[in-house]
Amino acid sequence: MIQRHPGDPDNDSPGIQVFDAASDDDLLRIGWRLGVSGVRLCAGCAGFAAVLANLLALSGPPPQVPALEKILFIACGSVNPVTRRQLDYAEQAGFPRFRLLPEEKLLPEWLESRDCAVKVKYWYKTATQKGVCILDTNDPPGGPDAKAVAAERGLDLQQVRIRISHTLGQLMRRLLDNGLEATLMCTGGDTLLALMRAVNVTELTPVCELDTGVVLTHFTYQRKNHYIISKSGGFGEADLLCRLAKLTGAGTMQKEDISCLRNTI
């Protein structure tokens, strides 16, 4: 492996070449030099992907947003402050928001309980009546602490992360099994992967980018096509969820009562 300064590819050296970048200009210079040098296999960060998209000079009509289900069901497995601000913003705008308790998201036996079955039905009813619904795994301020429950059970951070994402994926599958017809949204890569595993899906078909870092894809489950919006926890402005709700036509609340839906998409 050869490590090089920004923008200095070398076709005569075999193996993997690693390039350091300290700015967007560095990324652009590296990408351009790699392109003209004939390199065809690259890997990098999200910032490099943005540069690479322009360097590829792809042509063709822009992708079109298909007709989406007018229910937006959001499953949040991200603890990123950016995502939490988006959730708070949407909740203040009137989005129903349900937070999983520590025992619910950490203990596998809860998934088999009557309480879980009752709550899944209630979330389904809320989503169909309101048109929007948030299922959140973040602890509420001043509420029960998942870290304390994890410590009591001897769970380390990795086990906590896996259990929470697994629970969220299973809950989303049960909502689909109950007949939920919605545009789904997953925040956090673990959440998306957990849902795919829960419904035994191994591939997603990309459709288009709805916002910076916010991608629309679809998958087939039980012979039905489902659209899903996904994003990393750190992407998006505070009003992102509200703008996505307006884009999909989700929500039964009056727009004049939802300030964040004004002057948006």
Side-chain angles (χ1 to χ4, degrees), residues 53-99:
N54 293 328
L55 293 172
L56 291 175
L58 300 177
S59 61
Q64 300 297 312
V65 179
L68 301 173
E69 296 288 351
K70 295 186 182 301
I71 296 175
L72 179 62
F73 197 102
I74 302 162
C76 175
S78 172
V79 298
N80 192 292
V82 171
T83 292
R84 294 205 299 266
R85 283 195 295 271
Q86 292 165 351
L87 298 174
D88 292 341
Y89 196 106
E91 183 179 21
Q92 292 168 9
F95 284 42
R97 181 182 184 180
F98 301 97
R99 298 177 187 258

Side-chain angles (χ1 to χ4, degrees), residues 11 33-41:
N11 285 342
R33 291 290 298 275
L34 288 173
V36 298
S37 69
V39 172
R40 291 294 177 264
L41 180 61

